[in-house]
Amino acid sequence: MQETRQNRISRLLQKELSLIFQSQTRMMHGIMVSVTKVKISPDLSICTAYLSVFPSEKGEEILKNITANEKTIRYDLGKKVRNQLRIIPELRFFLDDSLDYLERIDELLKK
C-alpha cells in the first residue's frame, strides 16, 4: 500500500517539477532541462530528482544554479501541490547522465 502511494506522489512531483523547469528554462534559449526520474523516501520527506540537461556540456552549471535556487523551486512546487500533500518534501537534485553513457557505448560499438 505504501509503495503505491510513493509511486503516485513521485509521478505527481515529476510532472510538477518538469513544468516548473520548463517555465524557467523558457527564458534561456537553447537549454532544456527534463526530469527523468523522481524517487521519494518512504516517509515522503525527501524527494530525489534526476535531471537531464541538453546540451549536456552545461549540465554542471545548470545543476549548480538549480541547487542554489532550491528553496524557490520548493516554494513553487508547494504552491502547485498544496492540495495533494500535507508536507512538501525536501528536494535533492542530481544529473542523470544515462543518455551520455548510451552515446558513449554507441561510439565504442561503431569503432
Side-chain angles (χ1 to χ4, degrees), residues 22-78:
Q22 185 180 28
S23 67
Q24 287 182 355
T25 57
R26 194 172 287 148
M27 294 171 265
M28 300 185 304
H29 300 287
I31 297 176
M32 186 173 75
V33 177
S34 59
V35 182
T36 56
K37 188 174 188 177
V38 171
K39 292 182 181 178
I40 190 134
S41 63
D43 62 352
L44 306 178
S45 65
I46 299 173
C47 170
T48 305
Y50 294 92
L51 307 175
S52 178
V53 179
F54 180 80
S56 59
E57 299 84 42
K58 298 189 178 206
E60 291 296 324
E61 175 188 341
I62 297 294
L63 186 65
K64 285 180 187 175
N65 190 3
I66 288 172
T67 306
N69 294 317
E70 193 173 300
K71 291 187 186 330
T72 307
I73 295 168
R74 186 175 179 202
Y75 176 75
D76 291 342
L77 181 66

Side-chain angles (χ1 to χ4, degrees), residues 68-91:
N69 294 317
E70 193 173 300
K71 291 187 186 330
T72 307
I73 295 168
R74 186 175 179 202
Y75 176 75
D76 291 342
L77 181 66
K79 287 194 302 187
K80 291 180 178 255
V81 298
R82 67 175 175 240
N83 296 328
Q84 289 98 343
L85 296 177
R86 209 175 318 155
I87 297 172
I88 306 305
E90 176 186 328
L91 300 174

